[in-house]
Amino acid sequence: NVVRRCVVYQAGVMALSLIVGNKNYSSWSMRPWIAMKATGIAFSEEVISLNAPDFKARVSRVSGTGKVPVLSDGDVHVWESLAILEHLAEKFPDAGLWPSDPVARGYARAVASEMHAGFVPMRRHLPMNMWRPVMPRALPDDAAANVRRIEHIWTDCRTRFGSGGPFLFGRFGAADAMYAPVVSRFHTYAVEIGPVAREYMKAMMTLPAWVEWRAAAIEEPWVLPEDEVDWPTVLRE
């Protein structure tokens, strides 16, 4: 239940190593992975299925929670997606993971933290599942409220700070990485949103890093019933 990929070295720097879970399902894993890929930060990766018998034991060697994702940077081990993004932003300031403008940077950190801590009804009702064909799923009121809040965040960011590119704050950054799995969820379950948010989704889904992650996700052999909303049927493209 482990997929290993080749080690990539960045000139003059010890390679970073990132452990992630299933690319089809692990939304938290996607966040630092897509941030590093999209901004050109070199790293090696190890994919371990969340249902692997030795998952906890293997991941606990470097993660305080025994959960993914976890980044190893020499003797430094960082878990939790947002903490990893902060570590990367500090180590690679030229990657531009946070906006340079202090007003935009404060807003970006706020909405990234809001994603990290919130939207539980939406996340539970619309689990990330990249290989499921696009089909709508009715939203309960609490999940629908989450959708409307996220749509407002995306639209507000694009309107106020997005003049320099197609992402939330113009160029791709940490806030986009935090919302990348939500883009996948909204696409998979055909969630209705307005035109500004929809254009943002298109920009995210055509990002080369996104395309690479999705291609690997749909080829995975592992099925997690708890993330298959049509279970016992498993719908795959």
Side-chain angles (χ1 to χ4, degrees), residues 133-181:
V134 175
M135 295 172 55
R137 190 178 197 209
L139 296 173
D141 290 345
D142 53 0
N146 287 172
V147 168
R148 299 284 77 81
R149 171 59 186 158
I150 292 168
E151 180 184 7
H152 173 77
I153 289 171
W154 291 355
T155 302
D156 195 34
C157 288
R158 289 292 305 134
T159 302
R160 294 175 60 189
F161 305 109
S163 61
F167 300 104
L168 293 178
F169 295 86
R171 64 183 290 185
F172 181 93
D176 300 292
M178 288 301 295
Y179 282 92

Side-chain angles (χ1 to χ4, degrees), residues 81-95:
S81 295
L82 192 53
I84 294 172
L85 293 174
E86 289 286 11
H87 179 80
L88 294 170
E90 183 179 81
K91 187 178 182 72
F92 302 100
D94 290 344

Side-chain angles (χ1 to χ4, degrees), residues 2-196:
V2 178
V3 176
R4 298 183 186 276
R5 302 187 188 278
C6 64
V7 177
V8 181
Y9 289 95
Q10 186 161 345
V13 180
M14 181 181 293
L16 304 177
S17 177
L18 184 69
I19 300 177
V20 299
N22 310 58
K23 289 187 174 179
N24 189 53
Y25 303 114
S26 184
S27 58
W28 294 105
S29 295
M30 185 184 191
R31 293 178 167 112
W33 189 100
I34 200 170
M36 296 167 81
K37 280 284 181 176
T39 57
I41 298 173
F43 67 103
S44 66
E45 66 176 277
E46 182 177 3
V47 183
I48 307 177
S49 178
L50 299 173
N51 64 351
D54 61 346
F55 176 88
K56 197 78 170 180
R58 185 182 296 271
V59 176
S60 293
R61 295 171 188 166
V62 287
S63 169
T65 60
K67 298 178 181 180
V68 289
V70 56
L71 178 75
S72 294
D73 179 7
D75 293 331
V76 177
H77 304 295
V78 187
W79 53 93
E80 293 290 343
S81 295
L82 192 53
I84 294 172
L85 293 174
E86 289 286 11
H87 179 80
L88 294 170
E90 183 179 81
K91 187 178 182 72
F92 302 100
D94 290 344
L97 285 169
W98 297 115
S100 58
D101 174 72
V103 175
R105 186 166 63 250
Y107 198 98
R109 281 197 162 107
V111 297
S113 296
E114 187 174 350
M115 179 65 251
H116 188 270
F119 307 123
V120 173
M122 182 277 298
R123 290 192 276 118
R124 287 178 175 168
H125 191 70
L126 306 178
M128 192 170 89
N129 187 333
M130 286 198 149
W131 67 37
R132 183 181 186 267
V134 175
M135 295 172 55
R137 190 178 197 209
L139 296 173
D141 290 345
D142 53 0
N146 287 172
V147 168
R148 299 284 77 81
R149 171 59 186 158
I150 292 168
E151 180 184 7
H152 173 77
I153 289 171
W154 291 355
T155 302
D156 195 34
C157 288
R158 289 292 305 134
T159 302
R160 294 175 60 189
F161 305 109
S163 61
F167 300 104
L168 293 178
F169 295 86
R171 64 183 290 185
F172 181 93
D176 300 292
M178 288 301 295
Y179 282 92
V182 181
V183 172
S184 175
R185 288 172 156 110
F186 283 11
H187 174 71
T188 295
Y189 302 101
V191 174
E192 294 185 5
I193 54 175
V196 175

